[in-house]
């Protein structure tokens, strides 16, 4: 099964957020604009963080948070005006300061996978603006979280790079 045909009922990763495509999110092509997919995924990050204790109260008490340092969105099937959706998240890997996650955005109407987003996050001390280790409680919660336990391995779309296999242009490589 290709990832474009991956369905909500086959997803083992837990749900982290849900929403509805708002009228102002529709672009000139009559579907959800690319910018709003990132917002939907970002709200999923908040849901994931809250589920293992990285809450507003945690940030206020510790002066620590996370920064996203890389993301890659793939658009697979359209979402339309007023269409409900859900975001599910899977942790691919983590270490003492970083977390690599993969999110799935599904239409709640069709069950089709609409988009994916792969992220790399750093745990950061907001006072020094430097990367800092996860505190033990958060590290334990990440390790025990259901999206860390998905046994199916990394999704097919993980680590993909953009390229054209047989480009017809530009005609020559330009030096920089």
């Amino acid at each position: 099964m290709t990832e474009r045909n991956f369905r909500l009922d086959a997803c083992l990763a837990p749900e982290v957020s849900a929403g509805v495509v708002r009228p102002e999110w529709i672009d000139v092509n009559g579907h959800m604009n690319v910018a709003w997919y990132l917002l939907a995924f970002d709200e999923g990050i908040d849901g994931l963080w809250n589920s293992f204790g990285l809450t507003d109260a945690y940030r206020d008490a510790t002066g620590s948070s996370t920064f996203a340092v890389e993301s890659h969105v793939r658009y697979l099937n359209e979402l339309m005006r007023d269409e409900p959706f859900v975001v599910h998240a899977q942790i691919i890997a983590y270490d003492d300061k970083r977390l690599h996650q993969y999110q799935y955005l599904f239409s709640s109407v069709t069950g089709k996978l609409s988009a994916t987003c792969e992220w790399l996050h750093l745990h950061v001390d907001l006072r020094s603006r430097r990367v800092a280790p996860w505190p033990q409680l958060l590290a334990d919660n990440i390790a025990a979280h259901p999206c860390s336990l998905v046994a199916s391995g990394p999704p097919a779309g993980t680590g993909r790079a953009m390229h054209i296999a047989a480009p017809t242009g530009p005609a020559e490589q330009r030096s920089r």
Side-chain angles (χ1 to χ4, degrees):
M1 172 188 332
T2 65
E3 198 168 22
R4 184 178 301 279
N5 296 320
F6 185 55
R7 308 231 359 126
L8 176 57
D9 57 5
C11 186
L12 299 175
E15 182 179 323
V16 291
S17 68
V20 175
V21 178
R22 298 177 188 164
E24 61 269 24
W25 294 3
I26 301 303
D27 66 15
V28 297
N29 297 314
H31 58 207
M32 188 162 128
N33 179 270
V34 297
W36 302 106
Y37 281 86
L38 199 56
L39 174 67
F41 285 124
D42 188 48
E43 289 176 353
I45 291 169
D46 293 342
L48 177 61
W49 286 174
N50 287 334
S51 71
F52 56 72
L54 209 160
T55 62
D56 289 340
Y58 167 83
R59 282 183 282 280
D60 291 344
T62 66
S64 297
S65 188
T66 60
F67 287 177
V69 293
E70 188 170 344
S71 66
H72 186 153
V73 179
R74 295 174 49 235
Y75 308 95
L76 303 170
N77 289 294
E78 296 176 300
L79 284 175
M80 309 306 269
R81 180 181 175 155
D82 300 323
E83 190 168 358
F85 60 84
V86 294
V87 177
H88 289 242
Q90 177 178 350
I91 295 175
I92 304 301
Y94 59 90
D95 64 15
D96 64 331
K97 299 176 185 176
R98 296 174 292 188
L99 188 138
H100 179 194
Q101 70 153 309
Y102 197 81
Q103 293 177 313
Y104 307 84
L105 190 151
F106 292 97
S107 164
S108 298
V109 174
T110 66
K112 288 182 179 180
L113 181 61
S114 296
T116 65
C117 191
E118 183 176 4
W119 297 88
L120 183 62
H121 306 274
L122 302 175
H123 184 258
V124 175
D125 179 324
L126 294 172
R127 294 170 297 251
S128 67
R129 312 303 280 187
R130 310 292 273 174
V131 178
W134 300 105
Q136 193 59 52
L137 178 63
L138 279 184
D140 292 346
N141 289 348
I142 291 168
H145 197 273
C147 68
S148 297
L149 307 174
V150 176
S152 59
T158 304
R160 293 181 52 148
M162 291 182 277
H163 74 283
I164 297 175
T168 57
E172 59 186 72
Q173 294 293 329
R174 292 179 171 80
S175 62
R176 295 181 193 248

